């Protein structure tokens, strides 16, 4: 089977996210890394791309050059990953979609709700795929949680509790550290810091696992380090369209927490608990029975979990493997379109542009609710109301 052609924008040398994407895209052999514009400095970007194995004429100096170079090629890339600074996501994603490319965009997909709605309309008009990298939903046992909820193991979902809290920005002395400062600067980060950075991962996971969407929310936001203009801690209560109640805590000043992404789902017939720092175990408590530990890779899990299990039971599963599952989903979706067939339903799990849009609407609702002392606000984008 011929490999699909893959290109990347951003994710250059020293990037935090670039290596995870390159590992994830290459893990299954479905994609060939064929083109890239990896750095905002053209010379450095071209050089780094060639060191990674790109041909000289496909190691581009910027995204505009890559768009022009790829659109006319017979072997043009099938999928473009956008891993640039947040404020550039919308323009790059829009232009590649309009040119007929499939896109995987890092979160947040856009900086405004209006931009998000435009991306959704473009995907619908062009028929192109626009995925958003909520990569933690690629973990095998997160997908098994979703399958358990969908098949009714928990009964009606009553409550979902999600967290994404760490302490890596807790030092007030870091106020002038450029790697930290921009995150709390409205000119660069937008209307929200910690919720837009981490909270939306937890919120999207709540929807992914439960199959329900957030309709309204109330937020308490605070800058524990007073010099920050944007929040470094937020507590969000929310309601979902299937009747579930949601609680979400996100923080960057929780000293002692490392990554801190966890999700718990409680239904009429049982409860589930999973933590990203311990991804091989899913805790399942059926009503009136003893606590059970479901191990990733064990027999008789769901098709969604089986398809996304990469290493044998007992071995560690990591973030690049979760990213690889998103890329595997996208490879199956692209191949199904090329072949004119339905895609494998166990692979139809990649986050869509609609998910990116819902996240951005929630970001603005959280920011506004925080300003209004926790007022309950509609969390849906206008086009979904």
């Amino acid at each position: 089977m011929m490999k699909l052609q893959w290109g990347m924008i951003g994710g250059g040398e020293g990037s935090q996210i670039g290596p995870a994407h390159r590992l994830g895209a290459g893990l299954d052999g479905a994609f060939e890394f064929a083109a890239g514009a990896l750095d905002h400095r053209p010379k450095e970007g071209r050089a780094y791309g060639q060191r990674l194995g790109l041909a000289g004429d496909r190691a581009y100096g910027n995204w505009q050059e890559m768009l022009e170079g790829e659109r006319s090629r017979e072997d043009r890339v099938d999928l473009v990953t956008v891993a640039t600074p947040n404020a550039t996501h919308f323009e790059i994603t829009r232009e590649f979609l309009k040119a007929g490319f499939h896109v995987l965009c890092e979160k947040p997909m856009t900086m405004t709700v209006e931009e998000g709605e435009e991306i959704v309309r473009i995907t619908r008009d062009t028929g192109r795929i626009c995925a958003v990298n909520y990569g933690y939903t690629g973990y095998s046992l997160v997908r098994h949680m979703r399958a358990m909820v969908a098949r009714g193991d928990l009964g009606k979902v009553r409550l979902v509790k999600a967290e994404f809290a760490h302490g890596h920005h807790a030092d007030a002395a870091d106020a002038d550290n450029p790697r930290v400062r921009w995150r709390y600067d409205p000119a660069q980060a937008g209307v929200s810091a910690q919720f837009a950075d981490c909270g939306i991962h937890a919120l999207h996971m709540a929807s992914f696992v439960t199959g329900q969407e957030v309709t309204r929310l109330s937020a308490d936001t605070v800058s524990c380090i007073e010099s920050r203009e944007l929040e470094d801690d937020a507590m969000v209560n929310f309601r979902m369209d299937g009747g579930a109640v949601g609680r979400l805590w996100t923080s960057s000043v929780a000293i002692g927490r490392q990554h801190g992404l966890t999700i718990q789902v409680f239904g009429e017939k049982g409860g589930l608990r999973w933590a990203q720092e311990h991804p091989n175990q899913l805790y399942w408590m059926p009503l009136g029975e003893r606590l059970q530990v479901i191990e990733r890779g064990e027999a008789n899990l769901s098709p969604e979990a089986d398809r996304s299990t990469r290493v044998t039971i007992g071995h560690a599963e990591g973030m690049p493997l979760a990213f690889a599952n998103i890329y595997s989903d996208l490879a199956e979706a692209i191949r199904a379109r090329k072949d004119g067939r339905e895609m494998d339903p166990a692979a139809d799990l990649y986050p869509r542009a609609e998910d990116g849009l819902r996240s951005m609407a929630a970001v603005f609702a959280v920011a506004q609710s925080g300003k209004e002392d926790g007022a309950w606000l509609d969390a849906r984008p206008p086009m979904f109301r």
Side-chain angles (χ1 to χ4, degrees), residues 22 25 29 130 149 185 234 238 261 266 291 328 369:
R22 288 189 286 273
C130 180
V149 170
D185 178 5
F238 57 93
L261 176 60
F266 306 100
L291 179 67
S328 178
S369 177

Side-chain angles (χ1 to χ4, degrees), residues 8 10-20 22 33 36-39 41-55 58-60:
M8 188 174 195
E13 191 166 16
S15 163
Q16 187 176 36
I17 203 68
R22 288 189 286 273
F33 185 30
L38 304 179
D39 199 299
R41 299 164 300 175
K43 182 179 178 180
E44 286 80 355
R46 292 190 186 100
Y48 186 54
Q50 290 180 66
R51 289 202 300 276
L52 292 175
L54 296 181
R58 301 183 82 178
Y60 298 101

Side-chain angles (χ1 to χ4, degrees), residues 227-274:
S227 62
R228 290 174 175 164
E229 292 187 61
L230 298 176
E231 88 288 349
D232 51 27
D233 188 278
M235 183 69 74
V236 182
N237 292 314
F238 57 93
R239 300 292 186 268
M240 308 186 85
D241 57 10
V245 172
R247 316 290 190 201
L248 186 154
W249 172 49
T250 186
S251 182
S252 64
V253 295
I255 297 173
R257 295 289 291 265
Q258 295 302 322
H259 194 261
L261 176 60
T262 65
I263 184 162
Q264 300 176 76
V265 182
F266 306 100
E268 298 169 319
K269 299 190 294 184
L272 289 166
R273 173 168 55 90
W274 179 85

Side-chain angles (χ1 to χ4, degrees), residues 20-249:
H21 277 285
R22 288 189 286 273
L23 286 168
L27 187 65
D28 295 305
F31 288 102
E32 177 184 353
F33 185 30
L38 304 179
D39 199 299
H40 68 281
R41 299 164 300 175
K43 182 179 178 180
E44 286 80 355
R46 292 190 186 100
Y48 186 54
Q50 290 180 66
R51 289 202 300 276
L52 292 175
L54 296 181
D57 64 337
R58 301 183 82 178
Y60 298 101
N62 56 51
W63 70 264
Q64 295 94 337
E65 186 180 300
M66 179 170 162
L67 177 61
E68 291 307 311
E70 290 296 311
R71 75 159 85 221
S72 60
R73 295 181 68 103
E74 291 186 8
D75 62 345
R76 71 189 218 161
V77 290
D78 296 287
L79 175 69
V80 175
T81 293
V82 178
T84 54
N86 295 354
T88 65
H89 290 177
F90 167 66
E91 182 182 15
I92 299 171
T93 297
R94 178 189 63 191
E95 295 307 310
F96 273 86
L97 287 171
K98 288 168 65 175
F101 295 90
H102 301 300
V103 175
L104 170 60
C105 183
E106 263 299 331
K107 45 65 60 178
M109 183 178 75
T110 62
M111 295 292 284
T112 70
V113 176
E114 293 77 15
E115 290 174 349
E117 291 189 332
E118 184 174 347
I119 294 296
V120 169
R121 283 192 290 267
I122 291 170
T123 62
R124 294 175 177 180
D125 291 344
T126 62
R128 298 294 89 187
I129 293 169
C130 180
V132 183
N133 191 41
Y134 293 108
Y136 304 113
T137 60
Y139 279 102
S140 177
L141 289 181
V142 172
R143 294 180 170 207
H144 188 60
M145 290 180 76
R146 176 188 172 101
M148 290 181 69
V149 170
R151 71 192 185 194
D153 292 9
L154 282 72
K156 181 178 175 61
V157 174
R158 293 169 170 165
L159 175 66
V160 57
K161 182 173 183 287
E163 296 183 0
F164 198 157
H166 65 82
H168 300 304
H169 300 163
D171 189 350
D174 274 341
D176 291 323
N177 181 341
R179 293 180 65 87
V180 175
R181 185 181 60 227
W182 75 267
R183 298 175 184 274
Y184 303 93
D185 178 5
Q188 299 180 73
V191 299
S192 169
Q194 179 59 19
F195 184 79
D197 186 29
C198 295
I200 58 174
H201 275 296
L203 193 71
H204 175 261
M205 188 171 285
S207 290
F208 180 83
V209 169
T210 64
Q212 300 184 34
E213 300 295 347
V214 176
T215 56
R216 57 196 184 98
L217 59 77
S218 166
D220 179 20
T221 61
V222 63
S223 299
C224 292
I225 294 179
E226 295 179 358
S227 62
R228 290 174 175 164
E229 292 187 61
L230 298 176
E231 88 288 349
D232 51 27
D233 188 278
M235 183 69 74
V236 182
N237 292 314
F238 57 93
R239 300 292 186 268
M240 308 186 85
D241 57 10
V245 172
R247 316 290 190 201
L248 186 154
W249 172 49

